[in-house]
Amino acid sequence: QRRPEVSGRELKPTPALSFSVPGPGLVHIAMTLDAHYLRGSMAAIYSLLKHASCPESLFFRFLATDGGTAPGVGELRSALAASFPSLRFEIYSFRADAITGLISASVRAALEAPLNYARNYLADLLPKCVPRAIYLNSDVLAVDDVRRLWETRLPAAAVVAAPEYCHANFSRYFTDAFWSDPDLGARVFAGRRRAPCYFNTGVMVIDLRCWRSGNYCHRVEQWMELQKEKRIYELWSLPPFLPLFAGEVEVVDHRWNQHGLGGDNILGSCRPLHKGPVSLMHWSGKGKPWDRLDAGRPCPLRVRRNDEDGQLVK
């Protein structure tokens, strides 16, 4: 069984802020880091620090691939240190070649990038003394204190907490071959705590101890291998999480993933925020804001601040 190799702590944090054991008050935020998404990562980091009640409590744990023609972890570390001299962070090297053979073709080349699957291996890559982590995609902006998300209660039965979207047609994320197979389909979701619903893996709170003890790295890989043999789902890196966790996710308020702001993947049109309060905006989809700015076609967002609690609302 192939498994991305972990080279340990590939790079150390800024020496003045280095410590061996994470403190109990830290908020661990995991994100991937690469050259194309670097502007998004920088904006996300700034927004998280700006709105944190205690910015010094945020510890960023970045996953990056090293080698090839792309900038290595050393260059990425230099870029972070130059922009945020006091940032607490570490960068972990992710062996992309170890996962490449498990990745199925998709309609968007960006979604076939091995780093897109690094979230599957957080529990292997991060130190075992880190009990949980917030995983965030690089195309997000926070407008609220992320500690509120960090303090989400995770009961013993839940490994992942995330906003659910039960209005979405759950069946469309899987193929007819999946639903017609007597060993798959509805049988996969039988006995869950709730009816299965779609959730987006770009914003998750993950119990890393439960992930390790439940051997979820291997279980995700099993679904990826099945996908290679018999196409059973359509949405690339997301669906391996759905058969494992749909119906078992601890529900988080929708305000923590106002997703879809990347617009329509086919038409390229803009999408507005969903109605309701906003704590984190997510440009999931093809139209990343930095690419739209470069092309001179940015998408406007209209939000206002609620005078009663100071929160942003649509």
Side-chain angles (χ1 to χ4, degrees):
Q1 183 68 48
R2 288 165 296 189
R3 183 68 56 81
E5 297 178 12
V6 182
S7 59
R9 298 186 175 187
E10 187 71 21
L11 293 169
K12 300 294 183 183
T14 305
L17 298 172
S18 180
F19 49 85
S20 57
V21 179
L26 291 179
V27 175
H28 300 277
I29 300 173
M31 302 174 67
T32 58
L33 197 63
D34 69 350
H36 179 68
Y37 282 80
L38 189 57
R39 282 185 288 175
S41 300
M42 293 293 194
I45 295 165
Y46 176 79
S47 71
L48 290 161
L49 293 170
K50 176 180 175 61
H51 294 282
S53 55
C54 181
E56 295 82 2
S57 69
L58 304 189
F59 196 107
F60 291 84
R61 300 186 179 274
F62 299 106
L63 314 178
T65 56
D66 205 357
T69 58
V73 291
E75 293 174 78
L76 293 171
R77 182 185 188 277
S78 297
L80 285 171
S83 298
F84 304 101
S86 299
L87 188 70
R88 293 185 173 192
F89 73 94
E90 290 191 19
I91 302 180
Y92 302 85
S93 182
F94 177 70
R95 283 288 305 278
D97 58 334
I99 187 69
T100 302
L102 293 174
I103 298 174
S104 301
S106 74
V107 296
R108 283 174 55 201
L111 296 173
E112 298 176 26
L115 198 57
N116 202 37
Y117 293 82
R119 74 195 81 186
N120 301 0
Y121 302 97
L122 277 179
D124 283 353
L125 292 163
L126 270 55
K128 288 184 171 53
C129 55
V130 179
R132 68 157 64 182
I134 296 173
Y135 176 82
L136 298 175
N137 277 0
S138 299
D139 52 357
V140 302
L141 285 178
V143 291
D144 200 351
D145 186 357
V146 74
R147 180 170 288 276
R148 297 179 180 179
L149 177 60
W150 173 257
E151 292 174 348
T152 298
R153 177 180 171 271
L154 272 170
V159 181
V160 171
E164 282 188 328
Y165 305 92
C166 294
H167 63 279
N169 183 355
F170 184 76
S171 63
R172 76 180 181 89
Y173 295 101
F174 297 89
T175 63
D176 291 340
F178 173 85
W179 293 113
S180 62
D181 191 319
D183 294 324
L184 298 174
R187 183 174 181 178
V188 171
F189 306 103
R192 300 288 171 97
R193 290 195 295 159
R194 298 184 306 279
C197 291
Y198 163 77
F199 68 97
N200 181 280
T201 56
V203 179
M204 298 184 289
V205 182
I206 304 174
D207 187 324
L208 298 176
R209 294 167 298 186
C210 290
W211 188 281
R212 296 184 188 106
S213 63
N215 199 19
Y216 281 98
C217 285
H218 176 63
R219 293 164 75 174
V220 169
E221 287 175 342
Q222 286 181 311
W223 283 104
M224 294 177 69
E225 289 172 347
L226 182 58
Q227 168 76 347
K228 294 284 285 188
E229 298 169 8
K230 176 182 180 180
R231 194 166 184 85
I232 57 172
Y233 54 71
E234 300 292 357
L235 288 178
W236 322 292
S237 63
L238 164 64
F241 280 74
L242 292 181
L244 285 172
F245 300 116
E248 297 288 350
V249 170
E250 188 66 14
V251 178
V252 173
D253 194 284
H254 289 169
R255 67 191 303 152
W256 285 105
N257 193 351
Q258 284 270 358
H259 71 294
L261 299 180
D264 188 281
N265 287 332
I266 298 175
L267 301 177
S269 56
C270 299
R271 284 180 178 167
L273 287 165
H274 306 293
K275 290 187 180 297
V278 182
S279 291
L280 186 141
M281 297 178 286
H282 182 191
W283 276 262
S284 58
K286 187 177 180 180
K288 304 307 179 188
W290 53 91
D291 289 333
R292 288 187 180 276
L293 286 170
D294 288 346
R297 295 184 291 103
C299 288
L301 288 178
R302 294 179 176 85
V303 295
R304 62 182 176 84
R305 190 169 295 279
N306 189 326
D307 293 334
E308 294 182 2
D309 59 10
Q311 298 299 307
L312 294 183
V313 296
K314 170 67 169 67

